[in-house]
Amino acid sequence: MEKSCSLLIHFDKGTPALANEIKEALEGNDVPAKIDAMKKAVMLLLNGETLPQLFITIIRYVLPSEDHTIQKLLLLYLEIIEKTDSKGRVLPEMILICQNLRNNLQHPNEYIRGVTLRFLCRLNEVDIIEPLIPSIMSNLEHRHPYVRRNAILAVMAVYKLPQGEQLLADAPEKIENVLTTEQDPSAKRNAFLMLFQCAQERAINYLLTHVDRVSDWGDLLQMVVLDLVRKVCRTNKGEKGKYIKIIISLLNAPSAAVVYECAGTLVSLSSAPTAVRAAANTYCQLLQSQSDNNVKLIVLDRLNELKSSHREIMVDMIMDVLRALSSPNLDIRRKTLDIVLELITPKNINEVVLTLKKEVMKTQSGELEKNGEYRQMLIQAIHSCAVKFPEVASTVVHLLMDFLGDSNVASAVDVVVFVREIIETNPKLRVSIVTRLLDTFYQIRAARVCSCALWIIGEYCQSLSEIESGIATIKQCLGDLPFYSASEEGEANDSSKKSQQINSITVSSRRPAVLADGTYATQSAASETAFSPPTVVQGSLTAGNLRSLLLTGDFFLGAVVACTLTKLILRLEEVQPSKVEVNKATTNALLIMVSMIQLGQSSALPHPIDNDSYDRMVLCVRLLCNTGNEVRKIWLNSCHESFVKMLSDKQMRETEEIKAKAQISHSQPDDLIDFYHLKSRRGMSQLELEDAVQDDLKRATGEFVKDETDANKLNRVLQLTGFSDPVYAEAFVTVHHYDIVLDVTVINRTKETLQNLCLELATMGDLKLVERPQNYTLAPESSKQIKANIKVSSTETGVIFGNIVYETSNVLDRMVVVLNDIHIDIMDYISPAVCSDAAFRTMWLEFEWENKVAVNTVIQDEKDFLDHIIKSTNMKCLTALSALEGECGFLAANLYAKSVFGEDALVNVSIEKQADGKLSGYIRIRSKTQGIALSLGDKITLKQKGGS
């Protein structure tokens, strides 16, 4: 067994120093060389070397030295060396050291006394400590605080030893006297800590007698007081009231650390509204006063926890939380908005939206590089506000429509999606939104935004004037027809080539146009200089945004233009009495469509039109030439109906999620309920009364009941050895975020006593054992509980393996029982999470680790297989249920989860039903780290078979 070590020193394993060199240096008179030699000796000892020949040299030449650094290093050396023999008795040569330590404790220099007392804190050998006790106690009254504070720690360490109470019977009393007279804050804190850990009753008495002065104590001592309060209140709930008053008084302490701890302690001990409000106020003040971003993020986490358990109190604090948006850090802003959006009520919605509007305006002025991203976050926040409370939409929608031409495509897309939803849910705003959209349409630069805006124009332009201005706007943005000159193509081939060369020269001599998504528009389409009589620079108003995008070869947008025009013409037929006007508009629309098809098929563009867009445009042309009533119904009604259905589906999903989040409380039928008004109020402050009532309510609604049932616990018990082994062992595994606790029960099945029984564990993957296991003696047929702690640092699947080693009286060799491996499951670390489709796609593009698993299953139904994968991977399906309905023989869905370490796991399931009824396809996993992708892949491969 390795012995425990209280030192950690970086050791560069270059060429190790030789014992002889060290010995020579120690025997010399050169102080720097001695210091260097002592350091090397300490390093070698820490790395497992035994240097027995050095001990006498050190006693002779190092012990008498007056140099402080050498004395400090000597103490480190004494801390590491073995002080006992194989039977546990103190080595006789340690008597020499004992005398030296006593001299040090009476040394005129306070540094030497202090470091020696500090060294005694780490000594476990009673035989060495016993003769030094009078010297330790006399140092409690030394004039220098450094000596006194270390003397108190030494007393505490000695008192905690197994025979400590016999060695220092009156220690608590002595320390209590020191505490009353001591002035140095650090020594005072150590004295109180000693009482707290060794004589709790005395610490409580001292605290309660000086309760009025607690707020004047130093912050070190106040932190220990909070530890004491937490411990006492957990063991004795009845006394809680008077301690909560102490915490409330500490909330005004000057130290931010104390204030933060106070708020955390308050929330953990009490659910009284006054206490929770005080804690929330404190967190909000810290949010404002602390400049460190990490502190702000931690405080926001605490506020988020409060929000889930005490929402009604947090609702009042919403404006204080919103102030955190003043921080330029995007993570802080995102967290703040997430908290605020869940605290919105009809009472505060107007204030919140006003603040968000001001923030959006600010993003226009400043030229910070993250402004676009921040604006996108704000737009999404306003969007969700307007969906929850439609009445605020009218105040924000026009402001947001200014950003349709935003250079940040993502935020422009968010705006247009928001407008599309609001125009449907708020019929009153329809006319004003359509008018505004037609006015600002020419500013839109991104193809995706154009497509969505065109759809809105096609669906919601209802009156004659709206339809006419809709058609006019589209024509204006497309510019003059045709899109390129056809006349030159009719001439001889070589001249057409020549003209194209000239065209390309005129185009490339200009700077290439940069599109909204950051790509360059390579316009090999004939330049306007040749054909449009007025010379226009690409991208100016007259050229029109739709024209620029079409000339870059975006024919999907062309198809959307064709569909929009078709819808507008069909509506025009219903509202325009003059047949001539309708025919005129129809021919104009047909001309535009034909020009787009012609552009797509010409050699003027590097890429011809794609088949889908071509079919769609041709369909629109046919439709305008010959309209039937059935088709008219599909184009004018069905499309709108399916959009309404999509919105209601989304709304339904959101309400279901909210219902699922609502806490399920369970109380037993015969539980006692206290009645608030019948409570005895004798001598109780308002806060104590509130706290008592809240506790009763919690008891009544079953909040104290633990979720995990015993049956669920039994699933986590793993058998480590066989029933016929001499030692039977089983482990109960508890996983809590970064820690795994193994609770191992070991049973001696033999009729003999097992000595030096030790549970030896080793780990594979990102798991680390925290402490070395101890040796135990196990009586015949008795059992022992052994706990082992393991730290986890990533989501990789880890394995714990090991064996039990023991000795029996009649066998000389050590016996070994090999244990079953324990696999730590990735499922304990990932939990279902939600993200938007756009965020999912962005992450999918960014993440470099992909694991592709081929589908191999006995399940024959696509939907059942998807449900099976969701259940076995503990992920959330982002694809809407309505999108998965129907029987078409294939299915694609996106799943998402987050790990406790903040890593994202993305999964895409694509499956198809074969002719023989079997499912085939792939499950693709993407993540930022290799661990998640591999572990999830293994999990899916293991579980996907199904059936059994």
Side-chain angles (χ1 to χ4, degrees):
M1 283 301 296
E2 290 184 27
K3 58 182 189 296
S4 63
C5 159
S6 52
L7 287 186
L8 280 175
I9 299 177
H10 172 68
F11 179 57
D12 194 15
K13 289 193 172 74
T15 51
L18 297 168
N20 296 343
E21 291 171 20
I22 295 175
K23 200 171 173 187
E24 279 169 32
L26 291 177
E27 287 170 357
N29 290 327
D30 182 7
V31 172
K34 262 190 184 183
I35 290 173
D36 200 42
M38 280 301 288
K39 282 183 179 172
K40 283 177 181 165
V42 169
M43 297 283 197
L44 285 173
L45 282 164
L46 280 177
N47 280 277
E49 300 285 334
T50 57
L51 303 170
Q53 67 274 42
L54 277 187
F55 184 74
I56 295 300
T57 311
I58 285 175
I59 294 291
R60 282 176 61 194
Y61 295 99
V62 180
L63 214 70
S65 169
E66 283 296 314
D67 185 85
H68 290 181
T69 313
I70 291 180
Q71 285 296 329
K72 173 76 180 165
L73 286 165
L74 172 66
L75 292 172
L76 291 183
Y77 168 78
L78 295 178
E79 191 181 317
I80 315 164
I81 59 167
E82 201 60 73
K83 296 178 250 327
T84 54
D85 59 17
S86 57
K87 291 186 178 161
R89 288 194 295 261
V90 173
L91 295 168
E93 54 264 38
M94 290 298 145
I95 303 303
L96 299 167
I97 289 167
C98 212
Q99 186 54 45
N100 174 57
L101 292 176
R102 187 187 288 117
N103 295 343
N104 275 1
L105 291 175
Q106 291 159 1
H107 199 280
N109 181 287
E110 55 269 9
Y111 175 74
I112 296 289
R113 286 196 185 206
V115 289
T116 309
L117 287 163
R118 200 60 188 261
F119 161 71
L120 292 178
C121 294
R122 294 194 279 270
L123 262 194
N124 297 327
E125 286 73 27
V126 177
D127 298 357
I128 302 175
I129 290 172
E130 198 168 357
L132 303 175
I133 282 175
S135 313
I136 297 174
M137 298 309 274
S138 66
N139 274 316
L140 288 173
E141 278 122 44
H142 192 271
R143 62 186 167 72
H144 202 286
Y146 176 68
V147 178
R148 292 201 302 275
R149 84 176 74 126
N150 281 312
I152 295 168
L153 286 179
V155 169
M156 178 163 84
V158 173
Y159 192 77
K160 279 182 167 177
L161 289 174
Q163 300 97 324
E165 291 187 30
Q166 286 97 27
L167 292 175
L168 282 171
D170 56 348
E173 198 178 326
K174 279 266 175 64
I175 297 290
E176 195 172 6
N177 297 338
V178 170
L179 186 56
T180 45
T181 55
E182 185 57 70
Q183 292 307 311
D184 176 63
S186 190
K188 209 166 176 175
R189 174 254 181 202
N190 288 355
F192 191 78
L193 183 66
M194 190 274 167
L195 290 183
F196 164 38
Q197 295 195 347
C198 304
Q200 200 173 312
E201 282 306 313
R202 285 176 188 268
I204 293 169
N205 288 338
Y206 179 79
L207 175 63
L208 295 178
T209 44
H210 296 83
V211 76
D212 307 331
R213 308 231 320 275
V214 173
S215 46
D216 306 330
W217 291 351
D219 53 351
L220 291 171
L221 184 51
Q222 287 174 341
M223 293 294 255
V224 183
V225 166
L226 286 171
D227 279 345
L228 174 70
V229 167
R230 272 199 291 264
K231 191 172 175 186
V232 173
C233 292
R234 288 210 179 101
T235 49
N236 187 357
K237 285 201 167 67
E239 300 280 294
K240 219 160 51 168
K242 55 186 173 194
Y243 292 109
I244 287 176
K245 280 188 210 157
I246 298 174
I247 301 171
I248 297 270
S249 70
L250 282 178
L251 280 175
N252 303 320
S255 154
V258 172
V259 170
Y260 174 78
E261 280 296 318
C262 273
T265 308
L266 255 188
V267 176
S268 67
L269 295 183
S270 170
S271 307
T274 317
V276 175
R277 197 169 285 114
N281 261 322
T282 307
Y283 285 140
C284 289
Q285 282 161 12
L286 285 172
L287 206 52
Q288 293 309 307
S289 61
Q290 298 302 307
S291 55
D292 187 324
N293 284 346
N294 292 323
V295 174
K296 287 191 175 193
L297 285 168
I298 291 168
V299 170
L300 283 168
D301 277 341
R302 296 294 85 80
L303 284 168
N304 199 11
E305 286 163 15
L306 276 186
K307 178 204 75 194
S308 43
S309 50
H310 304 278
R311 185 174 183 271
E312 63 293 339
I313 290 168
M314 284 299 295
V315 164
D316 302 336
M317 316 290 301
I318 191 165
M319 297 315 288
D320 297 321
V321 178
L322 261 177
R323 285 200 196 120
L325 289 178
S326 58
S327 162
N329 182 291
L330 275 187
D331 291 327
I332 292 174
R333 287 169 160 176
R334 187 175 290 113
K335 238 180 197 158
T336 307
L337 287 173
D338 287 347
I339 293 172
V340 166
L341 288 179
E342 291 191 28
L343 295 175
I344 297 172
T345 61
K347 239 193 317 197
N348 59 29
I349 179 72
N350 290 326
E351 270 186 294
V352 171
V353 169
L354 195 67
T355 311
L356 295 177
K357 269 167 74 175
K358 280 181 191 162
E359 288 292 320
V360 172
M361 303 298 278
K362 278 186 209 165
T363 61
Q364 274 177 297
S365 52
E367 276 310 307
L368 294 166
E369 79 262 34
K370 297 278 173 122
N371 261 357
E373 219 174 312
Y374 178 41
R375 190 181 313 133
Q376 189 189 348
M377 273 157 46
L378 289 167
I379 289 166
Q380 286 169 348
I382 293 174
H383 183 164
S384 54
C385 289
V387 171
K388 282 182 191 164
F389 300 94
E391 65 275 9
V392 298
S394 56
T395 59
V396 289
V397 73
H398 294 301
L399 166 81
L400 291 188
M401 283 175 80
D402 292 341
F403 295 104
L404 281 172
D406 195 342
S407 55
N408 179 345
V409 182
S411 71
V413 169
D414 281 337
V415 172
V416 81
V417 169
F418 167 63
V419 171
R420 185 178 71 181
E421 193 165 333
I422 293 305
I423 201 168
E424 176 55 45
T425 51
N426 283 36
K428 289 178 196 158
L429 298 176
R430 193 185 59 74
V431 178
S432 64
I433 290 179
V434 167
T435 316
R436 186 70 190 273
L437 183 60
L438 292 172
D439 290 346
T440 53
F441 186 80
Y442 70 87
Q443 298 171 349
I444 301 174
R445 288 274 164 268
R448 280 169 65 197
V449 184
C450 273
S451 308
C452 197
L454 284 168
W455 186 87
I456 296 171
I457 292 170
E459 279 300 330
Y460 295 98
C461 286
Q462 308 281 352
S463 66
L464 179 57
S465 59
E466 284 171 353
I467 293 170
E468 282 178 341
S469 50
I471 295 172
T473 304
I474 294 173
K475 274 176 74 176
Q476 186 194 352
C477 290
L478 283 168
D480 298 334
L481 300 177
F483 293 106
Y484 74 102
S485 166
S487 60
E488 284 160 22
E489 268 200 5
E491 289 177 18
N493 269 350
D494 56 350
S495 63
S496 80
K497 276 178 195 158
K498 209 180 291 174
S499 74
Q500 273 180 26
Q501 276 172 353
I502 296 164
N503 295 340
S504 58
I505 291 162
T506 45
V507 171
S508 55
S509 63
R510 266 190 250 132
R511 290 177 63 191
V514 180
L515 295 185
D517 59 356
T519 53
Y520 288 109
T522 47
Q523 293 157 342
S524 51
S527 125
E528 285 89 344
T529 42
F531 325 114
S532 347
T535 308
V536 278
V537 181
Q538 185 69 33
S540 78
L541 296 189
T542 38
N545 48 356
L546 291 179
R547 187 187 191 93
S548 325
L549 291 165
L550 271 175
L551 291 180
T552 61
D554 190 341
F555 288 106
F556 174 73
L557 182 65
V560 176
V561 171
C563 292
T564 306
L565 285 171
T566 308
K567 281 185 193 170
L568 290 174
I569 300 293
L570 292 178
R571 287 226 165 79
L572 188 68
E573 286 176 11
E574 291 174 0
V575 291
Q576 170 65 277
S578 157
K579 204 84 175 128
V580 179
E581 290 296 319
V582 174
N583 287 343
K584 204 168 166 186
T586 311
T587 46
N588 271 330
L590 285 168
L591 182 61
I592 290 171
M593 293 177 207
V594 172
S595 302
M596 288 193 293
I597 293 173
Q598 206 173 15
L599 172 71
Q601 292 179 329
S602 76
S603 53
L605 289 185
H607 300 294
I609 186 167
D610 58 290
N611 291 339
D612 281 354
S613 304
Y614 175 75
D615 289 348
R616 210 144 172 231
M617 288 186 199
V618 170
L619 177 70
C620 293
V621 173
R622 282 202 186 127
L623 188 65
L624 287 185
C625 297
N626 181 15
T627 321
N629 279 338
E630 280 304 309
V631 181
R632 180 186 294 274
K633 204 188 282 177
I634 291 171
W635 277 72
L636 296 184
N637 301 345
S638 306
C639 189
H640 184 228
E641 282 163 15
S642 60
F643 176 60
V644 173
K645 187 166 178 252
M646 183 188 98
L647 282 186
S648 62
D649 200 53
K650 181 181 161 199
Q651 197 83 35
M652 198 170 79
R653 279 217 312 279
E654 280 168 5
T655 42
E656 273 176 11
E657 271 171 28
I658 292 166
K659 274 184 198 165
K661 270 186 191 169
Q663 204 168 4
I664 310 154
S665 294
H666 28 230
S667 58
Q668 296 305 320
D670 53 354
D671 274 1
L672 178 76
I673 298 178
D674 267 5
F675 289 95
Y676 181 44
H677 296 290
L678 306 181
K679 253 191 157 10
S680 134
R681 292 163 182 252
R682 198 172 58 251
M684 286 175 98
S685 68
Q686 178 61 26
L687 179 62
E688 288 174 74
L689 199 65
E690 275 184 23
D691 184 59
V693 171
Q694 282 297 326
D695 275 0
D696 295 337
L697 275 175
K698 274 191 171 177
R699 215 167 278 125
T701 54
E703 270 186 54
F704 286 148
V705 181
K706 283 277 173 281
D707 294 342
E708 201 165 23
T709 56
D710 294 337
N712 201 2
K713 274 188 170 181
L714 289 174
N715 295 341
R716 291 179 170 274
V717 173
L718 301 169
Q719 186 180 335
L720 299 180
T721 63
F723 292 119
S724 55
D725 282 315
V727 176
Y728 174 74
E730 62 182 25
F732 174 61
V733 186
T734 313
V735 177
H736 183 77
H737 287 3
Y738 299 87
D739 302 294
I740 298 173
V741 180
L742 291 186
D743 212 335
V744 184
T745 308
V746 180
I747 304 172
N748 178 0
R749 306 287 301 276
T750 64
K751 298 271 191 270
E752 297 170 357
T753 302
L754 306 182
Q755 291 160 345
N756 291 340
L757 179 135
C758 173
L759 172 71
E760 294 179 352
L761 295 175
T763 57
M764 204 170 77
D766 283 338
L767 303 174
K768 295 273 181 298
L769 274 170
V770 178
E771 72 258 315
R772 295 279 169 197
Q774 296 165 283
N775 284 358
Y776 303 96
T777 301
L778 215 55
E781 297 188 348
S782 67
S783 66
K784 180 92 194 150
Q785 298 280 67
I786 305 174
K787 267 197 167 59
N789 283 320
I790 290 160
K791 280 268 179 239
V792 188
S793 53
S794 89
T795 330
E796 227 166 303
T797 302
V799 183
I800 304 168
F801 48 91
N803 39 41
I804 290 177
V805 185
Y806 61 91
E807 295 167 359
T808 52
S809 48
N810 51 4
V811 182
L812 292 173
D813 289 344
R814 303 200 75 182
M815 309 287 284
V816 179
V817 178
V818 179
L819 306 179
N820 245 336
D821 295 352
I822 301 172
H823 290 263
I824 298 303
D825 196 349
I826 182 177
M827 290 307 107
D828 292 324
Y829 295 107
I830 68 170
S831 53
V834 182
C835 76
S836 67
D837 282 351
F840 186 92
R841 287 198 186 95
T842 313
M843 288 192 283
W844 188 265
L845 289 174
E846 285 171 5
F847 291 174
E848 58 259 31
W849 288 104
E850 177 174 293
N851 190 358
K852 196 170 176 184
V853 179
V855 171
N856 173 20
T857 179
V858 296
I859 301 170
Q860 299 215 335
D861 181 74
E862 308 96 310
K863 190 82 180 59
D864 290 351
F865 179 70
L866 177 66
D867 291 341
H868 176 66
I869 292 293
I870 292 171
K871 193 176 170 190
S872 45
T873 55
N874 196 19
M875 297 185 90
K876 168 100 180 152
C877 182
L878 298 181
T879 312
L881 285 174
S882 52
L884 300 171
E885 283 170 2
E887 296 291 327
C888 61
F890 58 93
L891 176 149
N894 292 337
L895 315 182
Y896 178 65
K898 239 181 158 53
S899 79
V900 292
F901 307 103
E903 302 157 315
D904 303 284
L906 314 176
V907 171
N908 171 266
V909 181
S910 297
I911 42 179
E912 185 182 1
K913 199 165 196 164
Q914 302 290 350
D916 58 0
K918 284 187 176 168
L919 295 181
S920 70
Y922 289 99
I923 298 168
R924 292 197 295 166
I925 303 141
R926 281 200 185 181
S927 68
K928 213 171 203 160
T929 53
Q930 186 184 14
I932 287 195
L934 291 177
S935 306
L936 258 180
D938 295 346
K939 186 80 187 168
I940 289 172
T941 310
L942 200 69
K943 293 271 189 177
Q944 67 166 335
K945 259 292 199 228
S948 56

